[in-house]
Amino acid sequence: MTVADVPPIILVHGTRFSAGQWSSQLAALGDDFPVAAVDLPGHGARSDEPWSLQAATDVISAAVESLGTGPALVVGHSLGGYAALEFARRHPQQLRGLVLAGASASTRGAWAVPYRWAAGLVPRVSAQQLTRWNDRLLRRLYPPEVVAATIRSGYAFHTLPTAWGEVLGRFDASAMRHVAAPVLILNGEKDTVFRSGELDFARAHPDARVELIPRARHLANFDAPDAFTDAVRRFAWQLPARS
């Protein structure tokens, strides 16, 4: 692979978080790849922007353009993974590869019921209380250097009902037919819910494979940042050269 063929990498955060979720990956991947992390609409620096999947794909598209080095490897976690699937459908010419992290469960049918319930519950709890709970949980589970940027950036609780309201009922393995690039389905070994459809998602694409992060849960890039980054790095180097 020549210097011109090194894929840029766009990192797309999960529910309620922001670009700060990727602080470990930005630091580790920046020496080898052009890399950027986005704030989706309604999150982080875009907190005042209304959420929609179309707007989310526009943000990802603009990030690819900003790096100026051709089609990108897009890494999406959870909500960001489903946004990345929509991006793959709307902007296939900008996609070099796709990593779905914690985003290989169907959002249709009975699986979606508890998530609809949770999305409805969030507005009933104050943002201050939710922030205290989230800060306490992250600090208890992870080293400061892994979560400091996430805590500092705050949380997008106000966007969660709208974002998941649009995603729920929309995605299943059939969405993979719109992905015109290799796919890595990268899940935490213990992420039972979001692993539920990983084999269906992999079978639905001619160039997809599953890789698990040992002992990691849904936030695999927090649980095992080095292993997560290494998996993304290996996949990036294996992508075909640009045509």
Side-chain angles (χ1 to χ4, degrees), residues 163-201:
W164 276 103
E166 188 175 11
V167 167
L168 292 174
R170 189 181 188 107
F171 293 99
D172 59 19
S174 66
M176 296 288 279
R177 71 179 185 271
H178 300 297
V179 183
V183 180
L184 173 63
I185 297 170
L186 184 61
N187 286 326
E189 179 187 17
K190 296 183 177 181
D191 188 10
T192 307
V193 171
F194 285 90
R195 288 189 59 195
S196 61
E198 65 184 19
L199 296 181
D200 292 333
F201 274 64

Side-chain angles (χ1 to χ4, degrees), residues 11 22 36 39 50 82 89 99 106 108 116 125 162 165 197 211 223 235:
L11 303 166
W22 301 109
D39 284 329
Y82 296 108
R89 185 178 74 84
V99 176
S106 172
R108 301 178 186 271
R116 290 192 188 279
V125 183
T162 303
E211 183 170 343
D223 283 319
F235 183 66

